[in-house]
Amino acid sequence: LVDDPRMDPTYQVCQDLALPLFLHPDVPLWYDVINDYNMVSNVGLVMDNSLALLRLFKSGVFDRFPKLQLIMPHAGGVLPYLDGRLSYTPNAFRRFTPENQKPLADYMRNPNIWYDLCNPSVPVLKMAREYLGTDRLMFGADYPFVDQDVLLDKLQKIGCSAAELDGIFRGNAERLFGPLL
């Protein structure tokens, strides 16, 4: 699991060397349950990836490694859409929630978490722009999952300025990977 303490040395080295981690899903552990109807590639991978990022938030990995750089694919997965469920705790459940728990948006807007925009949906890309801002969004097509020309067309329709698009297509990656280039 990504929040296993045995991962801490890896996170430490990546933080020390300013090497960004790319959090990309693999075959989900629950593959047998969602193998039908192409649900593994359509939903399972993104759900697993979202749960992995949520585990990193909840376990305090980013608190222990405050300079750790991470790239989350697929416009943040399902987490932006679950913000209300994850940030709001009904009174009956507050005794089970740590007092210092931050709202999900605070974690998602961590300046060290970057997002690729591999999601061929104009409304989803618009939400990513609004929810996350554009300063940490990067073009990523996850080819062959999404044809690059399709994603380029979708990105032209989300209302970004020329400067924001330049950041998404080039500038943000240069800021992230600059020391490595």
Side-chain angles (χ1 to χ4, degrees):
L1 296 174
V2 295
D3 58 334
D4 189 309
R6 292 178 291 183
M7 291 295 297
D8 283 3
T10 300
Y11 297 140
Q12 186 67 58
V13 167
C14 288
Q15 177 177 265
D16 292 347
L17 297 176
L19 295 173
L21 288 173
F22 189 76
L23 186 66
H24 199 277
D26 198 354
V27 177
L29 296 174
W30 48 309
Y31 176 86
D32 291 339
V33 178
I34 59 169
N35 187 28
D36 299 324
Y37 315 110
N38 196 30
M39 289 191 298
V40 169
S41 64
N42 289 341
V43 178
L45 297 172
V46 174
M47 289 295 298
D48 254 19
N49 211 68
S50 299
L51 292 170
L53 184 59
L54 188 59
R55 290 186 77 89
L56 290 172
F57 292 154
K58 298 283 189 175
S59 67
V61 166
F62 290 103
D63 297 322
R64 293 194 309 278
F65 304 99
K67 294 183 180 180
L68 180 66
Q69 301 279 332
L70 183 126
I71 303 166
M72 173 68 175
H74 310 294
V78 300
L79 293 180
Y81 314 97
L82 294 175
D83 182 283
R85 301 264 327 177
L86 293 169
S87 295
Y88 173 76
T89 305
N91 287 334
F93 296 105
R94 290 197 178 146
R95 66 178 181 253
F96 304 113
T97 305
E99 289 183 30
N100 61 348
Q101 181 175 321
K102 298 184 277 188
L104 178 67
D106 288 359
Y107 290 109
M108 297 290 286
R109 293 181 184 131
N110 177 327
N112 295 328
I113 301 177
W114 304 72
Y115 299 90
D116 88 14
L117 291 175
C118 180
N119 192 313
S121 166
V122 170
V124 169
L125 294 171
K126 282 182 177 182
M127 188 205 185
R129 176 182 179 239
E130 180 180 323
Y131 185 78
L132 300 166
T134 58
D135 62 328
R136 293 169 294 110
L137 300 180
M138 298 182 290
F139 179 81
D142 201 6
Y143 184 83
F145 174 67
V146 177
D147 183 279
Q148 292 180 8
D149 291 332
V150 169
L151 190 57
L152 285 169
D153 178 62
K154 304 286 185 194
L155 285 169
Q156 298 295 331
K157 297 175 181 173
I158 66 171
C160 287
S161 68
E164 288 173 318
L165 285 174
D166 183 62
I168 290 168
F169 292 136
R170 179 190 59 80
N172 296 341
E174 286 177 351
R175 283 190 303 114
L176 174 62
F177 294 109
L180 301 174
L181 298 177

